[in-house]
Amino acid sequence: MMSERGMEMVQVKTTKGISASNRTWKRFKSSLPLTMMAIPALVLMLLFKYLPMAGTVLAFKNFSVKKGIFGSEFIGWKNFEFLFKSSDAFIITRNTLGYNIVFIILDLVLAVSLAIALNELLNKRRAKVYQTIFMAPYFMSWVVVSFIVFALLSVDDGFINHLLSNFGIDPISWYTEKKYWPFILVLASSWKTVGYSTVMYLGTLTGIPNDYYEAAIMDGATKWQQIKYITLPSLRTMMIVLTTLAIGRIFYSDFGLFYQLPRNSGPLFAATNVIDTYVYRGLKETGNIGMSAAANLYQSVIGFICILVSNFAVRKIDKDSALF
């Protein structure tokens, strides 16, 4: 027979188990509305982010529609060899990396500068108007932007060529002269995307207590000193997070920017061709799905490595600012 002490221990364990179960159930009930709100996003992520991972195997196969994904012939690394042995491999890699490095630096500098400038405006209504003006291009499609740029750069009816002719300068064939397009692409990308990053930094600036600035003013700090010792340190975490995420996509490109804006002009390929546009053109012309999958896998793996390396570097400098 079980002793009284043993029975008491069983009762205590049972009571604890029921109590823990009740707490778990209460927590679940209290978070049920938030869980229900998260379900659509989780389903979309599952359908569009995780299930397509099965298609990664296409990078190592000679895809056949009749045989399907898993029945197609396994060819190993031949799709990657086709990608890297092409004559354009160096150009597209150079363009992808070069443009993205410039975009990351300019986006950081311009967005932080605009955010600080808007935050310093005493007239907040005017600041909201400027913020809307900066943010508006972000919602425009690259197709729309390409028509605006074409209206400016067209040889016959372009506004810029008309302006040049008024000064006695011959019209420039913008869509056949590749030397101008690195500047055009950088300018267009900054004009369209900096406003979004500016809003992100403005959200952080609004959370800085005014007491810090009031104390700095009482100590005789100038406006530049306030920005240097209060504003910029407060923005550091957001700057690190956004820059780290951008580095993770350094081998990806904005397809609309590099395909729609130059209007797929052949003479400009040396300056506008990146991995994404190269894969699209190759897929459209040859229908080689395996090569396209290989290029995407290459981009994903390199991006993952870049995030790990940049996050490791951030952890060495400031552990609290790292992503993980």
Short mmCIF file of all heavy atoms in Angstrom, two decimals, residues 226-283:
data_model
loop_
_atom_site.label_atom_id
_atom_site.label_comp_id
_atom_site.label_asym_id
_atom_site.label_seq_id
_atom_site.Cartn_x
_atom_site.Cartn_y
_atom_site.Cartn_z
N GLN A 226 24.16 68.46 -30.62
CA GLN A 226 22.95 67.70 -30.27
C GLN A 226 22.75 66.54 -31.23
O GLN A 226 22.40 65.43 -30.82
CB GLN A 226 21.75 68.63 -30.29
CG GLN A 226 21.77 69.73 -29.23
CD GLN A 226 20.63 70.70 -29.40
OE1 GLN A 226 19.51 70.30 -29.72
NE2 GLN A 226 20.90 71.98 -29.20
N ILE A 227 22.96 66.82 -32.52
CA ILE A 227 22.80 65.75 -33.52
C ILE A 227 23.87 64.68 -33.34
O ILE A 227 23.58 63.48 -33.41
CB ILE A 227 22.87 66.35 -34.95
CG1 ILE A 227 21.66 67.26 -35.20
CG2 ILE A 227 22.94 65.24 -36.00
CD1 ILE A 227 21.74 68.02 -36.50
N LYS A 228 25.09 65.11 -33.08
CA LYS A 228 26.22 64.19 -32.98
C LYS A 228 26.13 63.29 -31.75
O LYS A 228 26.42 62.08 -31.83
CB LYS A 228 27.53 64.98 -32.96
CG LYS A 228 28.78 64.12 -32.91
CD LYS A 228 30.04 64.99 -32.93
CE LYS A 228 31.30 64.13 -32.87
NZ LYS A 228 32.53 64.98 -32.86
N TYR A 229 25.72 63.85 -30.61
CA TYR A 229 25.78 63.10 -29.36
C TYR A 229 24.43 62.57 -28.89
O TYR A 229 24.38 61.74 -27.97
CB TYR A 229 26.39 63.98 -28.26
CG TYR A 229 27.82 64.36 -28.52
CD1 TYR A 229 28.17 65.65 -28.89
CD2 TYR A 229 28.83 63.40 -28.43
CE1 TYR A 229 29.49 65.99 -29.15
CE2 TYR A 229 30.15 63.74 -28.69
CZ TYR A 229 30.48 65.03 -29.05
OH TYR A 229 31.79 65.36 -29.30
N ILE A 230 23.32 63.00 -29.51
CA ILE A 230 22.00 62.51 -29.10
C ILE A 230 21.28 61.81 -30.26
O ILE A 230 20.88 60.65 -30.14
CB ILE A 230 21.13 63.66 -28.55
CG1 ILE A 230 21.78 64.30 -27.33
CG2 ILE A 230 19.74 63.15 -28.19
CD1 ILE A 230 21.05 65.52 -26.81
N THR A 231 21.14 62.54 -31.38
CA THR A 231 20.33 62.01 -32.49
C THR A 231 20.98 60.80 -33.15
O THR A 231 20.34 59.74 -33.28
CB THR A 231 20.09 63.11 -33.53
OG1 THR A 231 19.54 64.26 -32.90
CG2 THR A 231 19.15 62.61 -34.61
N LEU A 232 22.22 60.93 -33.58
CA LEU A 232 22.88 59.84 -34.29
C LEU A 232 23.04 58.58 -33.43
O LEU A 232 22.78 57.47 -33.92
CB LEU A 232 24.23 60.30 -34.84
CG LEU A 232 24.17 61.29 -36.01
CD1 LEU A 232 25.57 61.71 -36.43
CD2 LEU A 232 23.42 60.69 -37.19
N PRO A 233 23.46 58.68 -32.17
CA PRO A 233 23.51 57.46 -31.33
C PRO A 233 22.15 56.80 -31.17
O PRO A 233 22.06 55.56 -31.08
CB PRO A 233 24.04 57.99 -29.99
CG PRO A 233 24.84 59.19 -30.33
CD PRO A 233 24.09 59.83 -31.47
N SER A 234 21.08 57.59 -31.13
CA SER A 234 19.74 57.02 -31.01
C SER A 234 19.32 56.29 -32.29
O SER A 234 18.51 55.35 -32.24
CB SER A 234 18.73 58.12 -30.69
OG SER A 234 19.04 58.76 -29.48
N LEU A 235 19.86 56.71 -33.42
CA LEU A 235 19.53 56.08 -34.70
C LEU A 235 20.43 54.88 -35.01
O LEU A 235 20.17 54.17 -35.99
CB LEU A 235 19.66 57.09 -35.84
CG LEU A 235 18.61 58.20 -35.93
CD1 LEU A 235 18.97 59.16 -37.04
CD2 LEU A 235 17.23 57.60 -36.19
N ARG A 236 21.44 54.66 -34.22
CA ARG A 236 22.45 53.66 -34.56
C ARG A 236 21.87 52.27 -34.74
O ARG A 236 22.17 51.57 -35.73
CB ARG A 236 23.54 53.62 -33.48
CG ARG A 236 24.68 52.66 -33.81
CD ARG A 236 25.76 52.71 -32.76
NE ARG A 236 25.25 52.29 -31.45
CZ ARG A 236 26.00 52.22 -30.36
NH1 ARG A 236 27.27 52.58 -30.42
NH2 ARG A 236 25.48 51.84 -29.21
N THR A 237 21.00 51.84 -33.83
CA THR A 237 20.44 50.49 -33.93
C THR A 237 19.63 50.32 -35.21
O THR A 237 19.76 49.31 -35.91
CB THR A 237 19.55 50.19 -32.70
OG1 THR A 237 20.35 50.30 -31.52
CG2 THR A 237 18.98 48.78 -32.79
N MET A 238 18.78 51.30 -35.53
CA MET A 238 17.99 51.22 -36.75
C MET A 238 18.88 51.24 -37.98
O MET A 238 18.64 50.52 -38.95
CB MET A 238 17.00 52.39 -36.81
CG MET A 238 16.13 52.42 -38.06
SD MET A 238 15.08 50.96 -38.25
CE MET A 238 13.89 51.26 -36.94
N MET A 239 19.94 52.04 -37.96
CA MET A 239 20.87 52.09 -39.08
C MET A 239 21.54 50.73 -39.29
O MET A 239 21.69 50.26 -40.42
CB MET A 239 21.93 53.16 -38.83
CG MET A 239 21.39 54.58 -38.86
SD MET A 239 22.52 55.80 -38.13
CE MET A 239 23.90 55.69 -39.24
N ILE A 240 21.93 50.09 -38.20
CA ILE A 240 22.60 48.79 -38.30
C ILE A 240 21.64 47.73 -38.82
O ILE A 240 22.00 46.93 -39.70
CB ILE A 240 23.16 48.38 -36.92
CG1 ILE A 240 24.33 49.29 -36.54
CG2 ILE A 240 23.62 46.92 -36.94
CD1 ILE A 240 24.86 49.07 -35.14
N VAL A 241 20.41 47.72 -38.32
CA VAL A 241 19.43 46.71 -38.75
C VAL A 241 19.12 46.85 -40.23
O VAL A 241 19.16 45.86 -40.99
CB VAL A 241 18.15 46.83 -37.91
CG1 VAL A 241 17.04 45.96 -38.50
CG2 VAL A 241 18.41 46.40 -36.47
N LEU A 242 18.80 48.06 -40.68
CA LEU A 242 18.45 48.26 -42.09
C LEU A 242 19.64 47.99 -43.02
O LEU A 242 19.47 47.42 -44.10
CB LEU A 242 17.94 49.69 -42.30
CG LEU A 242 16.60 50.04 -41.63
CD1 LEU A 242 16.20 51.47 -41.97
CD2 LEU A 242 15.51 49.07 -42.06
N THR A 243 20.83 48.36 -42.58
CA THR A 243 22.01 48.12 -43.41
C THR A 243 22.33 46.63 -43.49
O THR A 243 22.67 46.10 -44.55
CB THR A 243 23.22 48.87 -42.84
OG1 THR A 243 22.93 50.27 -42.77
CG2 THR A 243 24.45 48.67 -43.73
N THR A 244 22.18 45.92 -42.37
CA THR A 244 22.42 44.48 -42.37
C THR A 244 21.45 43.75 -43.28
O THR A 244 21.83 42.85 -44.04
CB THR A 244 22.32 43.92 -40.93
OG1 THR A 244 23.23 44.61 -40.08
CG2 THR A 244 22.64 42.44 -40.91
N LEU A 245 20.18 44.13 -43.23
CA LEU A 245 19.17 43.52 -44.11
C LEU A 245 19.47 43.84 -45.57
O LEU A 245 19.29 42.98 -46.45
CB LEU A 245 17.78 44.02 -43.73
CG LEU A 245 17.25 43.57 -42.36
CD1 LEU A 245 15.90 44.22 -42.07
CD2 LEU A 245 17.13 42.05 -42.29
N ALA A 246 19.93 45.05 -45.84
CA ALA A 246 20.28 45.42 -47.23
C ALA A 246 21.48 44.63 -47.72
O ALA A 246 21.53 44.21 -48.88
CB ALA A 246 20.56 46.93 -47.31
N ILE A 247 22.46 44.40 -46.84
CA ILE A 247 23.62 43.59 -47.21
C ILE A 247 23.20 42.16 -47.54
O ILE A 247 23.76 41.53 -48.44
CB ILE A 247 24.67 43.61 -46.08
CG1 ILE A 247 25.30 45.00 -45.98
CG2 ILE A 247 25.75 42.56 -46.31
CD1 ILE A 247 26.22 45.17 -44.79
N GLY A 248 22.19 41.66 -46.83
CA GLY A 248 21.70 40.31 -47.12
C GLY A 248 21.12 40.17 -48.51
O GLY A 248 21.06 39.07 -49.07
N ARG A 249 20.68 41.28 -49.11
CA ARG A 249 20.12 41.25 -50.47
C ARG A 249 21.05 41.92 -51.48
O ARG A 249 20.61 42.42 -52.51
CB ARG A 249 18.75 41.95 -50.49
CG ARG A 249 17.69 41.24 -49.69
CD ARG A 249 16.32 41.88 -49.88
NE ARG A 249 15.92 41.84 -51.28
CZ ARG A 249 15.35 40.78 -51.88
NH1 ARG A 249 15.14 39.67 -51.20
NH2 ARG A 249 15.02 40.85 -53.15
N ILE A 250 22.33 41.90 -51.17
CA ILE A 250 23.29 42.61 -52.02
C ILE A 250 23.45 41.93 -53.38
O ILE A 250 23.90 42.56 -54.34
CB ILE A 250 24.65 42.73 -51.30
CG1 ILE A 250 25.49 43.85 -51.91
CG2 ILE A 250 25.41 41.40 -51.33
CD1 ILE A 250 26.70 44.22 -51.09
N PHE A 251 23.09 40.66 -53.50
CA PHE A 251 23.18 39.96 -54.77
C PHE A 251 21.83 39.94 -55.50
O PHE A 251 21.70 39.29 -56.52
CB PHE A 251 23.69 38.53 -54.58
CG PHE A 251 25.18 38.41 -54.79
CD1 PHE A 251 26.06 38.82 -53.82
CD2 PHE A 251 25.69 37.90 -55.97
CE1 PHE A 251 27.43 38.74 -54.00
CE2 PHE A 251 27.06 37.80 -56.17
CZ PHE A 251 27.93 38.21 -55.19
N TYR A 252 20.86 40.64 -54.94
CA TYR A 252 19.57 40.80 -55.61
C TYR A 252 19.48 42.23 -56.14
O TYR A 252 20.09 43.15 -55.59
CB TYR A 252 18.42 40.54 -54.65
CG TYR A 252 18.21 39.08 -54.33
CD1 TYR A 252 18.95 38.48 -53.33
CD2 TYR A 252 17.30 38.31 -55.04
CE1 TYR A 252 18.77 37.14 -53.02
CE2 TYR A 252 17.12 36.98 -54.75
CZ TYR A 252 17.85 36.39 -53.74
OH TYR A 252 17.68 35.05 -53.45
N SER A 253 18.69 42.41 -57.17
CA SER A 253 18.52 43.74 -57.75
C SER A 253 17.04 44.03 -57.95
O SER A 253 16.22 43.11 -58.06
CB SER A 253 19.24 43.82 -59.11
OG SER A 253 20.60 43.49 -58.98
N ASP A 254 16.73 45.31 -57.98
CA ASP A 254 15.36 45.73 -58.27
C ASP A 254 15.13 45.53 -59.77
O ASP A 254 15.64 46.29 -60.60
CB ASP A 254 15.18 47.20 -57.87
CG ASP A 254 13.71 47.60 -57.86
OD1 ASP A 254 12.93 47.01 -58.62
OD2 ASP A 254 13.37 48.50 -57.07
N PHE A 255 14.37 44.50 -60.10
CA PHE A 255 14.20 44.11 -61.50
C PHE A 255 13.62 45.26 -62.33
O PHE A 255 14.06 45.52 -63.45
CB PHE A 255 13.29 42.89 -61.60
CG PHE A 255 13.05 42.42 -63.01
CD1 PHE A 255 13.98 41.65 -63.67
CD2 PHE A 255 11.88 42.77 -63.68
CE1 PHE A 255 13.77 41.22 -64.97
CE2 PHE A 255 11.65 42.35 -64.96
CZ PHE A 255 12.60 41.57 -65.62
N GLY A 256 12.62 45.95 -61.79
CA GLY A 256 12.00 47.04 -62.53
C GLY A 256 12.97 48.15 -62.85
O GLY A 256 12.93 48.74 -63.94
N LEU A 257 13.86 48.45 -61.91
CA LEU A 257 14.85 49.52 -62.12
C LEU A 257 15.77 49.20 -63.28
O LEU A 257 16.03 50.06 -64.14
CB LEU A 257 15.65 49.72 -60.83
CG LEU A 257 16.86 50.65 -60.93
CD1 LEU A 257 16.43 52.07 -61.26
CD2 LEU A 257 17.66 50.62 -59.63
N PHE A 258 16.26 47.97 -63.34
CA PHE A 258 17.27 47.62 -64.34
C PHE A 258 16.69 47.09 -65.64
O PHE A 258 17.41 46.99 -66.63
CB PHE A 258 18.22 46.57 -63.75
CG PHE A 258 19.11 47.11 -62.67
CD1 PHE A 258 18.78 46.94 -61.33
CD2 PHE A 258 20.26 47.81 -62.98
CE1 PHE A 258 19.60 47.44 -60.33
CE2 PHE A 258 21.08 48.32 -61.99
CZ PHE A 258 20.74 48.13 -60.65
N TYR A 259 15.40 46.77 -65.65
CA TYR A 259 14.79 46.27 -66.89
C TYR A 259 13.84 47.30 -67.51
O TYR A 259 13.91 47.57 -68.72
CB TYR A 259 14.03 44.98 -66.61
CG TYR A 259 13.49 44.32 -67.85
CD1 TYR A 259 14.33 43.53 -68.65
CD2 TYR A 259 12.16 44.48 -68.25
CE1 TYR A 259 13.84 42.92 -69.80
CE2 TYR A 259 11.68 43.87 -69.39
CZ TYR A 259 12.52 43.10 -70.17
OH TYR A 259 12.04 42.49 -71.32
N GLN A 260 12.97 47.90 -66.69
CA GLN A 260 11.99 48.83 -67.23
C GLN A 260 12.60 50.20 -67.55
O GLN A 260 12.28 50.79 -68.58
CB GLN A 260 10.84 49.01 -66.21
CG GLN A 260 10.04 47.76 -65.95
CD GLN A 260 9.19 47.35 -67.15
OE1 GLN A 260 9.05 48.08 -68.12
NE2 GLN A 260 8.62 46.15 -67.08
N LEU A 261 13.45 50.69 -66.65
CA LEU A 261 13.96 52.05 -66.84
C LEU A 261 14.80 52.20 -68.12
O LEU A 261 14.60 53.15 -68.88
CB LEU A 261 14.77 52.47 -65.61
CG LEU A 261 14.79 53.97 -65.31
CD1 LEU A 261 13.40 54.46 -64.94
CD2 LEU A 261 15.76 54.28 -64.17
N PRO A 262 15.74 51.25 -68.41
CA PRO A 262 16.51 51.37 -69.67
C PRO A 262 15.73 50.87 -70.88
O PRO A 262 16.28 50.85 -71.99
CB PRO A 262 17.74 50.48 -69.41
CG PRO A 262 17.69 50.11 -67.98
CD PRO A 262 16.27 50.18 -67.56
N ARG A 263 14.50 50.41 -70.65
CA ARG A 263 13.62 49.93 -71.73
C ARG A 263 14.24 48.77 -72.49
O ARG A 263 14.08 48.64 -73.71
CB ARG A 263 13.24 51.08 -72.67
CG ARG A 263 12.64 52.27 -71.95
CD ARG A 263 12.26 53.39 -72.89
NE ARG A 263 11.07 53.03 -73.65
CZ ARG A 263 9.82 53.21 -73.21
NH1 ARG A 263 9.60 53.72 -72.01
NH2 ARG A 263 8.79 52.88 -73.95
N ASN A 264 14.98 47.94 -71.78
CA ASN A 264 15.58 46.72 -72.35
C ASN A 264 16.43 47.04 -73.59
O ASN A 264 16.43 46.29 -74.57
CB ASN A 264 14.48 45.71 -72.70
CG ASN A 264 15.04 44.31 -72.90
OD1 ASN A 264 16.07 43.96 -72.35
ND2 ASN A 264 14.36 43.51 -73.71
N SER A 265 17.14 48.13 -73.53
CA SER A 265 17.96 48.56 -74.67
C SER A 265 19.26 47.76 -74.71
O SER A 265 20.04 47.78 -73.75
CB SER A 265 18.26 50.06 -74.55
OG SER A 265 19.12 50.48 -75.57
N GLY A 266 19.52 47.09 -75.83
CA GLY A 266 20.70 46.25 -75.97
C GLY A 266 22.02 46.97 -75.80
O GLY A 266 22.93 46.47 -75.13
N PRO A 267 22.21 48.18 -76.37
CA PRO A 267 23.50 48.88 -76.21
C PRO A 267 23.83 49.23 -74.76
O PRO A 267 24.99 49.55 -74.47
CB PRO A 267 23.30 50.15 -77.05
CG PRO A 267 22.26 49.79 -78.04
CD PRO A 267 21.33 48.85 -77.34
N LEU A 268 22.84 49.16 -73.88
CA LEU A 268 23.08 49.54 -72.48
C LEU A 268 23.35 48.35 -71.57
O LEU A 268 23.56 48.52 -70.37
CB LEU A 268 21.86 50.30 -71.93
CG LEU A 268 21.41 51.55 -72.68
CD1 LEU A 268 20.19 52.15 -72.02
CD2 LEU A 268 22.54 52.56 -72.76
N PHE A 269 23.37 47.14 -72.12
CA PHE A 269 23.50 45.94 -71.29
C PHE A 269 24.77 45.96 -70.44
O PHE A 269 24.78 45.47 -69.31
CB PHE A 269 23.48 44.68 -72.15
CG PHE A 269 22.10 44.29 -72.61
CD1 PHE A 269 21.92 43.23 -73.48
CD2 PHE A 269 20.99 44.98 -72.16
CE1 PHE A 269 20.64 42.87 -73.90
CE2 PHE A 269 19.71 44.62 -72.59
CZ PHE A 269 19.53 43.57 -73.46
N ALA A 270 25.86 46.51 -70.94
CA ALA A 270 27.10 46.52 -70.18
C ALA A 270 26.97 47.32 -68.90
O ALA A 270 27.68 47.06 -67.91
CB ALA A 270 28.23 47.09 -71.03
N ALA A 271 26.05 48.29 -68.88
CA ALA A 271 25.88 49.14 -67.70
C ALA A 271 24.63 48.81 -66.91
O ALA A 271 24.52 49.18 -65.74
CB ALA A 271 25.83 50.61 -68.11
N THR A 272 23.68 48.10 -67.52
CA THR A 272 22.39 47.87 -66.85
C THR A 272 22.09 46.40 -66.59
O THR A 272 21.12 46.10 -65.89
CB THR A 272 21.25 48.46 -67.70
OG1 THR A 272 21.19 47.77 -68.97
CG2 THR A 272 21.45 49.94 -67.94
N ASN A 273 22.88 45.50 -67.14
CA ASN A 273 22.59 44.07 -66.98
C ASN A 273 23.06 43.58 -65.61
O ASN A 273 24.24 43.74 -65.25
CB ASN A 273 23.28 43.26 -68.07
CG ASN A 273 22.56 41.95 -68.34
OD1 ASN A 273 21.45 41.73 -67.86
ND2 ASN A 273 23.19 41.08 -69.11
N VAL A 274 22.16 43.01 -64.83
CA VAL A 274 22.47 42.44 -63.52
C VAL A 274 21.99 40.99 -63.51
O VAL A 274 21.44 40.50 -64.50
CB VAL A 274 21.81 43.24 -62.39
CG1 VAL A 274 22.46 44.61 -62.24
CG2 VAL A 274 20.31 43.40 -62.62
N ILE A 275 22.21 40.30 -62.41
CA ILE A 275 21.89 38.87 -62.36
C ILE A 275 20.41 38.63 -62.64
O ILE A 275 20.05 37.73 -63.40
CB ILE A 275 22.29 38.27 -61.01
CG1 ILE A 275 23.81 38.33 -60.84
CG2 ILE A 275 21.81 36.83 -60.88
CD1 ILE A 275 24.31 37.84 -59.49
N ASP A 276 19.53 39.44 -62.05
CA ASP A 276 18.09 39.23 -62.22
C ASP A 276 17.64 39.42 -63.66
O ASP A 276 16.87 38.60 -64.19
CB ASP A 276 17.32 40.19 -61.31
CG ASP A 276 17.56 39.92 -59.84
OD1 ASP A 276 18.56 40.43 -59.31
OD2 ASP A 276 16.77 39.19 -59.22
N THR A 277 18.13 40.47 -64.32
CA THR A 277 17.72 40.71 -65.70
C THR A 277 18.36 39.67 -66.63
O THR A 277 17.75 39.26 -67.62
CB THR A 277 18.13 42.12 -66.15
OG1 THR A 277 19.54 42.31 -65.95
CG2 THR A 277 17.38 43.16 -65.35
N TYR A 278 19.58 39.26 -66.32
CA TYR A 278 20.25 38.24 -67.13
C TYR A 278 19.49 36.92 -67.08
O TYR A 278 19.27 36.27 -68.11
CB TYR A 278 21.68 38.06 -66.63
CG TYR A 278 22.45 36.96 -67.33
CD1 TYR A 278 22.99 37.18 -68.59
CD2 TYR A 278 22.63 35.71 -66.74
CE1 TYR A 278 23.70 36.19 -69.25
CE2 TYR A 278 23.33 34.71 -67.39
CZ TYR A 278 23.86 34.95 -68.63
OH TYR A 278 24.56 33.96 -69.28
N VAL A 279 19.06 36.53 -65.89
CA VAL A 279 18.30 35.29 -65.73
C VAL A 279 16.96 35.40 -66.46
O VAL A 279 16.52 34.46 -67.13
CB VAL A 279 18.09 34.98 -64.24
CG1 VAL A 279 17.10 33.84 -64.06
CG2 VAL A 279 19.40 34.63 -63.57
N TYR A 280 16.31 36.54 -66.34
CA TYR A 280 15.01 36.72 -67.00
C TYR A 280 15.15 36.61 -68.52
O TYR A 280 14.35 35.93 -69.18
CB TYR A 280 14.42 38.07 -66.62
CG TYR A 280 13.16 38.41 -67.36
CD1 TYR A 280 11.95 37.83 -67.02
CD2 TYR A 280 13.17 39.32 -68.43
CE1 TYR A 280 10.78 38.14 -67.70
CE2 TYR A 280 12.02 39.63 -69.12
CZ TYR A 280 10.83 39.04 -68.74
OH TYR A 280 9.68 39.35 -69.43
N ARG A 281 16.16 37.28 -69.06
CA ARG A 281 16.35 37.23 -70.51
C ARG A 281 16.72 35.81 -70.97
O ARG A 281 16.25 35.34 -72.00
CB ARG A 281 17.43 38.22 -70.94
CG ARG A 281 17.03 39.68 -70.76
CD ARG A 281 18.06 40.62 -71.36
NE ARG A 281 17.72 42.01 -71.10
CZ ARG A 281 18.30 42.76 -70.17
NH1 ARG A 281 19.28 42.25 -69.42
NH2 ARG A 281 17.94 44.01 -69.98
N GLY A 282 17.58 35.15 -70.16
CA GLY A 282 17.94 33.78 -70.51
C GLY A 282 16.76 32.84 -70.45
O GLY A 282 16.60 31.96 -71.31
N LEU A 283 15.91 33.03 -69.45
CA LEU A 283 14.73 32.18 -69.31
C LEU A 283 13.73 32.44 -70.44
O LEU A 283 13.11 31.52 -70.98
CB LEU A 283 14.06 32.43 -67.95
CG LEU A 283 12.89 31.53 -67.57
CD1 LEU A 283 13.32 30.08 -67.50
CD2 LEU A 283 12.30 31.97 -66.23
#
